[in-house]
Amino acid sequence: MKTKNFFRRKTTGQIIVYVIAFVVMLVQCLSLIFCLLWGFSSSLKTQEEFSLNSPLAFPQQWVFANYAEAFDMLEVRGFNFFGLICNSIWYAVGTPLIQITVSMIIAYVVIKYPSKFTKVYHAYVLVMMMINLSAGSAATYRFFAKLNLVDSPLFLVGKIGKTTFAYLIFCAAWRGVANDYMEAAKIDGANHWTIMFRVMIPQVIGTWGALFIMDFITWWNDYTSPMIYFPNWPTLATGLFEYESDMIMSVNMPVYFAGLMISMVPVIVLFMIFQDTIMDRISIGGIKG
Amino acid sequence: MGKTNLNKNVLDKNDKTRKLFVLSMFVPIILIEAVFFFGVNIQGLIMAFQKELPNGTTLFSFDNFIRIFTEGFEGSSAVFSEGIRNSLLFFGLSIFVMMPISVIVAYFLNKKIFGYKFFRIVLYLPNILPGIIIATIFRYVTAPDGAGVIASICYKYGWNWPNLFGDSRYAIWSLLFYSYWTGFGAGFLLYYTAMKRISPEIIESAELDGVKWYQEIVYIDIPLVWPTIAMTILTTLPTLLMSSGAVLLFTRGEYGTQTLAYWLFDQVRNRANMNYSAAVSLFFSFVTLPLMFISKWLMDRVPDTQY
């Protein structure tokens, strides 16, 4: 019945197009799923099976012990698997916590407390979004090194600032929150700080949460910035890359694949739980705003 | 809770506490941002015009910029010629292939094509999974000499399967395909969210007028979500010369796959040629600067749409 309703009022041409689109997207999805399943299947093989048998062969014995062994085997620069996870956590939690919160506050002040200064600032943000004059990672590294912010969790100090994307999202979000809440709180005797923290921020906490989750996923997966700025504090993504690069001839690949599978669990779980929230909250409005 | 003034608007610009609030919230953050923004860029300027001597001292010099042309474009490796070519290929893929695909995917997902919830999750998976996972699996699936899944199937039928990432004839195209495969519909989320906001009455009215599906996309959906598309193009354009694929994960810049972005990353990672790479970053930033203004001018020509 659902299929019948879907094709109701559609011409033959439309149906053909929908079928083609369905097939194309299905092939794309199946190829992705096949690769992930192959990776999972490989993680359950022994090293001999992986090396000697056909890559299409299923595991003869499902060696789940590979997952436990991943915690022992994968060690990079003195950090074991737990250590790599810990580094990923402080990097992937700390960075969005700082940047999303700062973006939220800056956007709140710009939208709710307009003045010549905030208008100039907003125009500056829009201009700088287009102009990508950059001294690059070399200058950033050298400057951070002078401030002793490299090769340590103090790198997060350099993250104090907004991101343009989050700032624009929050600008749109704050425009949608009525000033009546502020008026009512003011009448009740609240000061500006109370109004912001206890009345207004709760109005956009969903947006904050969605952006935090998206950014958490981005920083959890980032492997290049840790390599440059804190190479002796490798994250899980960096560690997995460097482990395979350094040990290429002697890596127990099934155990390595088990490590890869473990590393994707947090982000998949987060996305599956919050996918509707993320998709509902994220939209980009006009750049002229 | 203290004295209240019912006549005082919370946004009253004469309210002294308002000024104090704005200063306390705004100024510290802006100052810190300014320190890092100007600090990094001034550092970059200094490095770009600095030549390091063997005895460790530095002197002011234009050598780094001269080197861009003598080594980067004309040297034995001409790394920047190759890098710019490949960066333009990745950029072209992003704008002219991936973006239209994303818009079309968003259209069909918005139409709730059969299995749309499944597609929505799976197509977005490459965006949320660590790149190292997908790249490693892809590398092994496409490995040559019977070691890979595809190669082993080809060998059964007597076909050869090339070394995709170890042969300069195929490497860059394989990287482009990988970018397409993992980025298929990757941008659809933004367009999908924007299209969801389009009033169903507009679409139904168009359908009653006999509008075909491609006319709906071209004349209704795209104009209505144009601010989102414009934003995507505008934020992508600055990366014209810095577009790159998964070079680090597959080829490390060998076999004709060098990109500017990877070259810069490699220099900093190895702490080599730091001053030179700062000069390169600045130089190519200035080269693409006019493009930014042209892009903004073009975007402004398209009228806003309210719905």
Side-chain angles (χ1 to χ4, degrees), chain B residues 12-155:
Chain B
D12 185 350
K13 291 183 181 178
N14 292 322
D15 180 2
K16 282 183 186 167
T17 58
R18 168 197 157 97
K19 287 179 186 165
L20 185 60
F21 170 76
V22 171
L23 283 174
S24 68
M25 287 291 118
F26 211 61
V27 171
I29 296 172
I30 300 302
L31 278 177
I32 293 174
E33 278 193 338
V35 164
F36 283 101
F37 176 76
F38 290 109
V40 167
N41 284 293
I42 290 172
Q43 178 71 62
L45 272 173
I46 293 171
M47 289 169 69
F49 289 97
Q50 232 175 28
K51 180 180 175 179
E52 282 186 7
L53 298 174
N55 59 7
T57 56
T58 58
L59 56 86
F60 179 86
S61 169
F62 288 95
D63 275 8
N64 291 325
F65 293 96
I66 296 170
R67 211 175 144 188
I68 291 174
F69 294 93
T70 56
E71 288 184 22
F73 286 105
E74 294 176 8
S76 56
S77 62
V79 63
F80 295 148
S81 299
E82 180 181 303
I84 290 173
R85 183 204 71 191
N86 291 335
S87 297
L88 290 176
L89 283 174
F90 282 108
F91 179 80
L93 176 77
S94 169
I95 293 291
F96 299 112
V97 176
M98 305 308 301
M99 182 179 291
I101 289 177
S102 297
V103 172
I104 293 171
V105 167
Y107 169 81
F108 284 108
L109 291 181
N110 194 41
K111 290 298 183 188
K112 294 187 169 47
I113 192 171
F114 184 72
Y116 77 97
K117 287 185 180 176
F118 166 76
F119 292 139
R120 201 174 66 174
I121 295 172
V122 178
L123 286 176
Y124 201 66
L125 270 181
N127 275 15
I128 63 168
L129 295 178
I132 181 69
I133 293 178
I134 301 193
T136 303
I137 295 174
F138 190 84
R139 207 157 11 97
Y140 276 87
V141 166
T142 59
D145 302 327
V149 173
I150 301 177
S152 65
I153 296 173
C154 289
Y155 274 25

Side-chain angles (χ1 to χ4, degrees), chain A residues 6 9 28 31 112 114 117 130 134 146 162 183 192 221 228 244-245 260 276 279 282 284, chain B residues 9 11 15 18 26 33 43 112 120 128 130 133 139 181 189 193 207 228 252 271 285 292 296:
Chain A
F6 181 80
R9 284 173 39 187
Q28 173 71 18
S31 66
K112 294 304 185 188
F117 179 70
M130 294 183 297
S134 168
K146 283 183 179 175
K162 68 175 187 319
E183 297 285 353
H192 294 282
N221 297 338
I228 292 177
E244 200 215 1
S245 304
L260 292 179
D276 286 334
M279 291 184 184
I282 303 306
I284 294 182
Chain B
N9 188 311
L11 300 179
D15 180 2
R18 168 197 157 97
F26 211 61
E33 278 193 338
Q43 178 71 62
K112 294 187 169 47
R120 201 174 66 174
I128 63 168
I133 293 178
R139 207 157 11 97
W181 180 68
L189 181 62
T193 311
E207 285 176 353
T228 304
R252 316 270 176 120
R271 310 286 186 254
S285 295
M292 314 309 150
K296 180 69 167 79

Side-chain angles (χ1 to χ4, degrees), chain A residues 106-234:
Chain A
I106 293 282
Y108 174 74
V109 175
V110 167
I111 298 299
K112 294 304 185 188
Y113 293 82
S115 66
K116 283 183 193 168
F117 179 70
T118 56
K119 284 177 185 161
V120 166
Y121 179 78
H122 188 74
Y124 157 79
V125 172
L126 293 180
V127 167
M128 292 312 293
M129 187 176 69
M130 294 183 297
I131 299 174
N132 195 32
L133 274 180
S134 168
S137 304
T140 307
Y141 177 84
R142 197 61 78 75
F143 184 71
F144 275 45
K146 283 183 179 175
L147 299 178
N148 287 323
L149 298 180
V150 295
D151 228 4
S152 109
L154 285 176
F155 172 76
L156 291 179
V157 172
K159 292 291 187 181
I160 296 176
K162 68 175 187 319
T163 67
T164 306
F165 179 76
Y167 168 78
L168 293 173
I169 294 285
F170 276 115
C171 281
W174 285 123
R175 284 194 193 97
V177 178
N179 291 346
D180 299 349
Y181 295 104
M182 302 169 76
E183 297 285 353
K186 187 73 174 176
I187 290 170
D188 286 342
N191 59 40
H192 294 282
W193 292 266
T194 305
I195 291 171
M196 183 178 87
F197 285 106
R198 297 182 63 178
V199 176
M200 298 301 279
I201 284 181
Q203 307 284 336
V204 297
I205 204 68
T207 303
W208 186 96
L211 285 169
F212 178 88
I213 289 161
M214 285 180 67
D215 266 23
F216 172 88
I217 292 171
T218 300
W219 298 116
W220 180 269
N221 297 338
D222 179 27
Y223 55 94
T224 53
S225 296
M227 264 190 234
I228 292 177
Y229 299 108
F230 41 97
N232 292 315
W233 292 74

Side-chain angles (χ1 to χ4, degrees), chain B residues 54-282:
Chain B
N55 59 7
T57 56
T58 58
L59 56 86
F60 179 86
S61 169
F62 288 95
D63 275 8
N64 291 325
F65 293 96
I66 296 170
R67 211 175 144 188
I68 291 174
F69 294 93
T70 56
E71 288 184 22
F73 286 105
E74 294 176 8
S76 56
S77 62
V79 63
F80 295 148
S81 299
E82 180 181 303
I84 290 173
R85 183 204 71 191
N86 291 335
S87 297
L88 290 176
L89 283 174
F90 282 108
F91 179 80
L93 176 77
S94 169
I95 293 291
F96 299 112
V97 176
M98 305 308 301
M99 182 179 291
I101 289 177
S102 297
V103 172
I104 293 171
V105 167
Y107 169 81
F108 284 108
L109 291 181
N110 194 41
K111 290 298 183 188
K112 294 187 169 47
I113 192 171
F114 184 72
Y116 77 97
K117 287 185 180 176
F118 166 76
F119 292 139
R120 201 174 66 174
I121 295 172
V122 178
L123 286 176
Y124 201 66
L125 270 181
N127 275 15
I128 63 168
L129 295 178
I132 181 69
I133 293 178
I134 301 193
T136 303
I137 295 174
F138 190 84
R139 207 157 11 97
Y140 276 87
V141 166
T142 59
D145 302 327
V149 173
I150 301 177
S152 65
I153 296 173
C154 289
Y155 274 25
K156 278 186 183 170
Y157 295 97
W159 302 331
N160 278 333
W161 180 252
N163 187 355
L164 291 180
F165 297 101
D167 187 329
S168 53
R169 290 174 296 174
Y170 311 114
I172 186 61
W173 306 109
S174 303
L175 277 179
L176 285 165
F177 175 79
Y178 176 79
S179 293
Y180 156 79
W181 180 68
T182 52
F184 183 98
F188 80 84
L189 181 62
L190 285 172
Y191 310 126
Y192 171 71
T193 311
M195 285 185 190
K196 274 175 68 172
R197 291 164 51 204
I198 298 176
S199 168
E201 285 78 26
I202 298 176
I203 307 301
E204 283 176 15
S205 168
E207 285 176 353
L208 287 171
D209 287 340
V211 164
K212 295 183 173 45
W213 69 274
Y214 55 89
Q215 290 172 321
E216 183 192 325
I217 292 181
V218 173
Y219 295 116
I220 298 176
D221 292 330
I222 289 179
L224 287 177
V225 303
W226 182 249
T228 304
I229 296 174
M231 170 74 88
T232 309
I233 295 174
L234 204 62
T235 51
T236 307
L237 203 56
T239 65
L240 175 71
L241 293 181
M242 291 298 160
S243 297
S244 187
V247 177
L248 175 64
L249 297 174
F250 287 98
T251 58
R252 316 270 176 120
E254 294 178 41
Y255 311 110
T257 62
Q258 187 67 269
T259 60
L260 278 173
Y262 177 76
W263 184 88
L264 287 167
F265 164 80
D266 202 36
Q267 302 309 304
V268 181
R269 184 187 172 203
N270 295 316
R271 310 286 186 254
N273 296 314
M274 296 282 273
N275 292 352
Y276 180 39
S277 48
V280 170
S281 288
L282 270 176

Side-chain angles (χ1 to χ4, degrees), chain A:
Chain A
M1 180 60 74
K2 259 191 182 175
T3 312
K4 199 175 174 183
N5 287 341
F6 181 80
F7 288 114
R8 188 170 58 93
R9 284 173 39 187
K10 289 193 170 50
T11 64
T12 307
Q14 276 180 311
I15 294 172
I16 291 172
V17 166
Y18 272 63
V19 169
I20 292 172
F22 173 80
V23 169
V24 169
M25 283 196 277
L26 184 67
V27 167
Q28 173 71 18
C29 289
L30 289 179
S31 66
L32 284 166
I33 292 172
F34 169 79
C35 285
L36 291 174
L37 288 176
W38 183 86
F40 177 67
S41 164
S42 299
S43 73
L44 297 175
K45 293 179 178 176
T46 61
Q47 174 71 338
E48 289 72 28
E49 276 183 87
F50 186 86
S51 304
L52 301 174
N53 291 3
S54 164
L56 286 170
F58 284 109
Q60 288 173 354
Q61 317 155 26
W62 291 50
V63 186
F64 285 99
N66 285 339
Y67 284 79
E69 201 173 326
F71 284 87
D72 292 329
M73 183 186 88
L74 292 169
E75 184 172 320
V76 178
R77 296 180 200 256
F79 285 93
N80 60 15
F81 205 71
F82 281 115
L84 298 175
I85 291 175
C86 287
N87 287 340
S88 286
I89 288 174
W90 68 252
Y91 181 52
V93 170
T95 302
L97 189 66
I98 294 170
Q99 292 187 327
I100 305 300
T101 305
V102 168
S103 302
M104 178 181 65
I105 292 173
I106 293 282
Y108 174 74
V109 175
V110 167
I111 298 299
K112 294 304 185 188
Y113 293 82
S115 66
K116 283 183 193 168
F117 179 70
T118 56
K119 284 177 185 161
V120 166
Y121 179 78
H122 188 74
Y124 157 79
V125 172
L126 293 180
V127 167
M128 292 312 293
M129 187 176 69
M130 294 183 297
I131 299 174
N132 195 32
L133 274 180
S134 168
S137 304
T140 307
Y141 177 84
R142 197 61 78 75
F143 184 71
F144 275 45
K146 283 183 179 175
L147 299 178
N148 287 323
L149 298 180
V150 295
D151 228 4
S152 109
L154 285 176
F155 172 76
L156 291 179
V157 172
K159 292 291 187 181
I160 296 176
K162 68 175 187 319
T163 67
T164 306
F165 179 76
Y167 168 78
L168 293 173
I169 294 285
F170 276 115
C171 281
W174 285 123
R175 284 194 193 97
V177 178
N179 291 346
D180 299 349
Y181 295 104
M182 302 169 76
E183 297 285 353
K186 187 73 174 176
I187 290 170
D188 286 342
N191 59 40
H192 294 282
W193 292 266
T194 305
I195 291 171
M196 183 178 87
F197 285 106
R198 297 182 63 178
V199 176
M200 298 301 279
I201 284 181
Q203 307 284 336
V204 297
I205 204 68
T207 303
W208 186 96
L211 285 169
F212 178 88
I213 289 161
M214 285 180 67
D215 266 23
F216 172 88
I217 292 171
T218 300
W219 298 116
W220 180 269
N221 297 338
D222 179 27
Y223 55 94
T224 53
S225 296
M227 264 190 234
I228 292 177
Y229 299 108
F230 41 97
N232 292 315
W233 292 74
T235 60
L236 188 55
T238 311
L240 287 168
F241 170 80
E242 291 193 355
Y243 185 84
E244 200 215 1
S245 304
D246 294 344
M247 308 279 288
I248 190 78
M249 297 304 292
S250 59
V251 170
N252 183 328
M253 286 311 298
V255 173
Y256 181 72
F257 274 111
L260 292 179
M261 295 294 120
I262 294 171
S263 71
M264 64 181 199
V265 166
V267 289
I268 286 189
V269 167
L270 272 178
F271 181 70
M272 296 303 285
I273 296 173
F274 295 107
Q275 56 162 313
D276 286 334
T277 306
I278 292 169
M279 291 184 184
D280 284 342
R281 299 280 180 173
I282 303 306
S283 66
I284 294 182
I287 53 176
K288 295 178 185 174

